Amino acid sequence: MSTPGAPPRAPAPRTEVRGSTPWGAAVRRQSRTKVARQLKYFSPETDYAALANELHSEGKEGPARPPEPPAPEEEAGDDDYADWESSYR
């Protein structure tokens, strides 16, 4: 209600946030479903011969080598913590 003699109030400006309407959510969901179906059912031609060549070739580097073993741990007598600890006893 307005006060008698006061000018009428303008309605508050309508602020729309992207995706705030139920229709927007439905359209986004429909679009995601369409993309998912395309990915699920689309099967491009696969060149199995090229794939086999790639998997069986050793490449320019030769066969893959196993990783280097880790460096050996320090010797039991070479314990810096034990030296530090004994200096505080």
Side-chain angles (χ1 to χ4, degrees), residues 2-71:
S2 63
T3 311
R9 294 173 94 180
R14 189 171 177 193
T15 57
E16 289 192 26
V17 178
R18 184 176 181 196
S20 64
T21 62
W23 286 106
V27 169
R28 282 194 310 278
R29 186 171 37 253
Q30 183 181 16
S31 176
R32 287 192 303 261
T33 303
K34 180 180 177 184
V35 170
R37 282 193 183 120
Q38 287 173 345
L39 292 173
K40 182 177 180 180
Y41 296 115
F42 175 70
S43 59
E45 289 293 321
T46 304
D47 187 0
Y48 292 107
L51 180 61
N53 288 338
E54 183 177 340
L55 292 175
H56 294 294
S57 70
E58 294 180 2
K60 296 178 183 176
E61 302 167 358
R65 288 199 226 166
E68 294 290 324

